[in-house]
Amino acid sequence: MNHDLSTVEAAVQHYFDGVYEGDVEKLGAVFHPSADLRSLENGKLRVLTLPAWLDWMKKQPSAKAEGKPREDFIVTVDHSDDQTAFIKVRCQLPPRYFTDYLVAMKLRDGWKIVSKSYRYDLRE
């Protein structure tokens, strides 16, 4: 599968597509294998490995399959140089509406998300 990850924006779009479609192959392609995902759950830090998160995503109904409208966008991109970026995004996996903080690095095979910290609101 050939994916254009030549720009950080293309990598983030690939991430959005994977979340909306529930496509773990797309998600796995945009994350570095060593990436982790962090959130606060009941006041405690929760850390998920990429394989654990992809397994969880596999079991969730996708917003696309449920006919939910798509709602994802880049809030800001902060490049510290041409190989490192911090990206704040908003996306959804109803009933969860996320604010994600992604750290991405440009590796030999393109931009990869190396870390994700997130929070979400539950909505009806």
Side-chain angles (χ1 to χ4, degrees):
M1 204 179 296
N2 184 14
H3 304 292
D4 176 21
L5 301 176
S6 61
T7 67
V8 71
E9 291 83 1
V12 173
Q13 186 59 53
H14 200 71
Y15 168 70
F16 287 155
D17 292 344
V19 169
Y20 181 71
E21 298 165 9
D23 187 329
V24 296
E25 285 188 32
K26 283 184 181 177
L27 292 169
V30 76
F31 277 85
H32 187 271
S34 69
D36 60 18
L37 298 90
R38 296 169 181 262
S39 66
L40 286 176
E41 298 284 333
N42 300 316
K44 294 184 180 181
L45 180 64
R46 178 178 183 211
V47 181
L48 289 173
T49 64
L50 181 61
W53 181 66
L54 293 175
D55 186 54
W56 180 84
M57 285 294 291
K58 247 188 263 192
K59 298 172 186 170
Q60 304 307 306
S62 73
K64 181 179 180 179
E66 292 190 334
K68 306 271 182 176
R70 188 161 177 169
E71 187 179 318
D72 48 39
F73 59 95
I74 295 174
V75 176
T76 187
V77 177
D78 181 359
H79 285 274
S80 54
D81 60 22
D82 62 350
Q83 297 178 328
T84 309
F86 176 80
I87 310 108
K88 179 180 178 181
V89 303
R90 299 264 169 86
C91 59
Q92 65 178 1
L93 186 58
R96 295 171 190 87
Y97 291 77
F98 292 88
T99 301
D100 293 344
Y101 300 93
L102 309 172
V103 176
M105 295 185 169
K106 189 170 187 179
L107 306 174
R108 288 183 184 184
D109 54 348
W111 283 93
K112 298 290 182 179
I113 298 168
V114 298
S115 181
K116 171 182 165 175
S117 294
Y118 63 95
R119 65 161 309 278
Y120 64 87
D121 295 314
L122 288 174
R123 300 182 197 162
E124 294 295 320

